[in-house]
Amino acid sequence: MFKTVEWTKAGVVMIDQRVLPDKEVYRTYKDYKAVAGAIKDMVVRGAPAIGVAAAFGVAIGALKIKTKDAKAFRKELGIISSLLASTRPTAVNLFWGIERMRRVVDSNPGSTVAQLQKLLVDEAILIHQEDIAICRKIGSNGAGLLKDNSTALTHCNAGALATAGYGTALGVIRGAIEAGKKIQVFADETRPFLQGARLTAWELNKDGIDVTLITDNMAGWMMKKGLIHSVVVGADRIAANGDTANKIGTYSVAVLARENNIPFYVAAPLSTIDLKMKHGDLIPIEERASSEVTHIKGKRIAPEGIKVRNPAFDVTPAKFVTAIITEKGVVRAPYLKGLKGLFAAQPSSCSCL
Ligand code: MRU
């Protein structure tokens, strides 16, 4: 099985998701600037995976700091964290990962630089390990929602490639299959970056899970024909009221699901829930390069000079979400109360940079 992102003696190793499925290439990043570049350029992508990568970035940056003075160390760590935090704006897991690393330093005021460096590496490795366990829990919590002998549509890639392993939305599908159910997956190709065609189709195929690829504009018709029984997607940021930011196109799928009486599930870890965002309109939406729209695999498909928009995410209003599946359980409307309740026995959620 492939590893999405990993801490090794040589550096932070990532599978290069830009070249999948053509090539399975692993790249090693030896400093925090290179890790930040990998996040920005989508070598690693998917909310939980970029949270893990950012934590590894902080750790590798911390190891390279030369000073023995704890105050100067903290200052340099702040610069490292700011750069990593500037890479992508929408997925809150990025800020959550960096914040978790900052707390390690804050809660060890008397430690030497060497001690802090070790603590930071340990914390990043723990974040990575925990993410796999969390995804498995999301999978088992959501497995019961999918019926035996049914189909599930997913959008983008919320699988092992988008997490430290197993996945969130694909974790629910894997959980249902592991529980003995027969599930057939439909994967939206997910223009413009093609996470569905390139990544979801690749990882499910590799796992021997029945997957059928469709283009994004086919989902509505497939639903109307009764071929889709549920929708399961991941999330990049969930506001306190349940509004959910996820890959562009998710909103359209949710509206279509409602029109066709199909349950629409969001699967995400608590690190994706941002209680400080009261509603989805406050979530920053990343706008990416126009070349992602005008080109496919480096080949121009649109006229030179054409005006382009490329919002990478959209926000699905909570009213379209049947349930949110987390590692702490399944939450249904009213989300404000339910989501807050998940944190009752938890340390406070991300205080974003
Ligand atoms: O731009 P990407 O590929 O990072 O966007 C990823 C998504 O939108 C995923 O659906 C989301 O991060 C959930 S991943 C478990």
Side-chain angles (χ1 to χ4, degrees):
M1 194 56 177
F2 62 88
K3 296 241 173 72
T4 303
V5 52
E6 201 187 1
W7 181 265
T8 72
K9 282 202 176 79
V12 182
V13 177
M14 303 181 201
I15 188 168
D16 188 343
Q17 302 198 28
R18 300 167 305 178
V19 297
L20 283 171
D22 299 341
K23 289 182 234 154
E24 201 173 323
V25 178
Y26 290 85
R27 299 191 192 282
T28 305
Y29 297 90
K30 293 176 185 293
D31 63 66
Y32 79 90
K33 285 188 182 157
V35 172
I39 297 171
K40 207 176 173 63
D41 295 347
M42 312 264 282
V43 171
V44 63
R45 33 68 48 202
I50 65 175
V52 172
F56 282 158
V58 174
I60 209 161
L63 286 182
K64 296 264 165 83
I65 297 176
K66 292 276 182 292
T67 183
K68 295 273 177 280
D69 175 58
K71 199 170 160 213
F73 177 82
R74 276 161 219 268
K75 199 170 165 210
E76 281 198 48
L77 208 64
I79 295 167
I80 291 167
S81 300
S82 299
L83 182 81
L84 287 158
S86 71
T87 50
R88 297 195 71 192
T90 304
V92 72
N93 309 60
L94 178 85
F95 310 103
W96 171 91
I98 296 168
E99 170 69 9
R100 229 179 106 162
M101 298 296 276
R102 190 179 65 81
R103 279 197 206 143
V104 168
V105 177
D106 287 356
S107 53
N108 291 281
S111 300
T112 64
V113 167
Q115 286 165 337
L116 288 173
Q117 285 170 322
K118 181 172 183 325
L119 287 169
L120 285 165
V121 171
D122 289 350
E123 183 73 359
I125 292 170
L126 184 66
I127 289 173
H128 179 263
Q129 287 167 348
E130 282 177 0
D131 189 60
I132 301 173
I134 285 168
C135 285
R136 287 202 164 265
K137 196 77 188 125
I138 291 171
S140 57
N141 286 344
L145 297 170
L146 305 188
K147 293 199 173 78
D148 190 16
N149 277 314
S150 73
T151 64
L153 174 75
T154 191
H155 189 74
C156 193
N157 173 268
L161 284 166
T163 60
Y166 202 72
T168 55
L170 298 192
V172 169
I173 288 164
R174 287 191 166 99
I177 292 169
E178 281 169 24
K181 295 180 185 177
K182 194 167 175 290
I183 309 288
Q184 192 192 341
V185 182
F186 285 101
D188 275 347
E189 70 169 344
T190 319
R191 272 284 286 153
F193 205 69
L194 300 172
Q195 288 94 332
R198 296 189 305 103
L199 308 177
T200 297
W202 180 78
E203 75 162 80
L204 291 182
N205 233 351
K206 216 172 160 66
D207 242 10
I209 294 174
D210 184 341
V211 55
T212 304
L213 179 65
I214 59 172
T215 64
D216 299 324
N217 50 359
M218 293 173 189
W221 180 244
M222 303 279 292
M223 288 182 187
K224 190 159 191 306
K225 297 303 278 178
L227 298 171
I228 289 166
H229 304 135
S230 60
V231 178
V232 195
V233 297
D236 289 87
R237 196 185 296 229
I238 300 172
N241 70 346
D243 291 351
T244 297
N246 191 49
K247 181 52 54 196
I248 191 76
T250 304
Y251 167 56
S252 321
V253 172
V255 174
L256 286 165
R258 173 58 51 90
E259 166 70 13
N260 290 282
N261 274 317
I262 296 166
F264 178 89
Y265 299 115
V266 172
L270 264 59
S271 54
T272 303
I273 300 168
D274 186 358
L275 293 181
K276 286 200 303 338
M277 291 278 150
K278 287 199 163 46
H279 55 78
D281 290 346
L282 301 169
I283 299 174
I285 300 295
E286 178 181 10
E287 184 98 21
R288 292 189 62 85
S290 58
S291 57
E292 288 181 358
V293 177
T294 54
H295 290 67
I296 294 182
K297 285 190 161 184
K299 188 173 171 5
R300 171 173 287 282
I301 54 154
E304 200 92 46
I306 195 77
K307 284 199 288 181
V308 170
R309 286 292 310 271
N310 186 14
F313 300 94
D314 59 28
V315 177
T316 298
K319 66 176 179 183
F320 294 114
V321 178
T322 309
I324 298 175
I325 307 159
T326 77
E327 70 273 29
K328 294 275 170 200
V330 177
V331 176
R332 291 176 192 266
Y335 289 108
L336 198 56
K337 189 162 170 267
L339 293 177
K340 265 194 187 151
L342 293 174
F343 290 90
Q346 286 274 128
S348 63
S349 66
C350 169
S351 81
C352 296
L353 300 170

